Amino acid sequence: LIKMKKICVLLAVVMMLSGCSGKTESSPSSTPASGAAVTEAPKSDAEVIKMKENNGEYDSMNKYSGCVYDINGDGAEEEILLLTSAKKDSDGEYIWDDSQNWALIVKTDDGIYPLFESHAHGKLKLYVSELYDNNGDIRPVIRLETSSSSEFSIKEFTYNGEGFEEKTAYDAGVINEL
């Protein structure tokens, strides 16, 4: 019993010493006159999703949602598509299974950027937003929300001049949705 108390005290001391350094981190942000939140661009050490040739690998999938937007700043609008393997009935309604294949792509005249491809439960949602950096410049962001009975996450995709950087903005981990 005495040994156990010593171990507990030692662990508590180690945790206290390693847990706090007296410094707090804060993310640099400010609020412009319009009241919109400002966020920093993603870090450049992220893996970049490069453009590849459009070889028709997504042609058999159905468009679940999408929009057109000049996401890479080249002056031409790209097509941002959230695709699913779920089939449609004669009325155009989706026939949902327990799970289906999903893909998020950005389609350009020169090729496609395959941002996300996975077999997933539940339905995914696509959002395209314009964020303002500290200089007032617009930074478009593609967000993909994955929600099912066992998962909830949000991924962000931002164009950096060479391709898209992926960042996990939120991940609830393994959950049990009630």
Side-chain angles (χ1 to χ4, degrees), residues 7-160:
I7 291 172
C8 289
V9 170
L10 181 62
L11 283 173
V13 170
V14 169
M15 287 174 55
M16 288 188 326
L17 292 175
S18 65
C20 298
S21 65
K23 297 180 182 178
T24 59
E25 289 186 32
S26 62
S27 59
S29 66
S30 62
T31 304
S34 66
V38 176
T39 59
E40 295 297 317
K43 296 179 182 177
S44 61
D45 60 348
E47 185 177 326
V48 177
I49 301 166
K50 303 272 187 177
M51 183 189 303
K52 69 179 213 171
E53 184 180 330
N54 185 359
N55 58 15
E57 64 188 285
Y58 302 104
D59 290 351
S60 65
M61 299 181 86
N62 286 310
K63 176 182 169 183
Y64 181 66
S65 66
C67 67
V68 292
Y69 184 86
D70 181 12
I71 197 79
N72 61 8
D74 67 355
E77 291 186 328
E78 289 75 36
E79 196 171 9
I80 303 163
L81 299 168
L82 180 58
L83 306 169
T84 181
S85 63
K87 302 299 178 201
K88 292 184 178 183
D89 64 15
S90 59
D91 294 329
E93 298 293 322
Y94 284 99
I95 304 170
W96 296 111
D97 201 350
D98 291 340
S99 60
Q100 38 276 322
N101 292 323
W102 292 90
L104 174 62
I105 64 170
V106 175
K107 195 182 228 183
T108 72
D109 291 336
D110 299 325
I112 60 170
Y113 293 93
L115 302 182
F116 176 85
E117 187 174 350
S118 183
H119 189 81
H121 297 275
K123 294 180 185 168
L124 280 60
K125 292 182 182 175
L126 167 67
Y127 301 93
V128 178
S129 304
E130 291 180 338
L131 302 179
Y132 297 88
D133 67 14
N134 289 333
N135 299 325
D137 296 328
I138 295 173
R139 183 172 56 90
V141 176
I142 299 171
R143 287 194 181 86
L144 182 65
E145 178 185 298
T146 303
S147 178
S148 71
S149 62
S150 62
E151 165 187 22
F152 184 84
S153 67
I154 301 171
K155 294 184 183 299
E156 293 182 342
F157 303 91
T158 308
Y159 188 77
N160 70 2

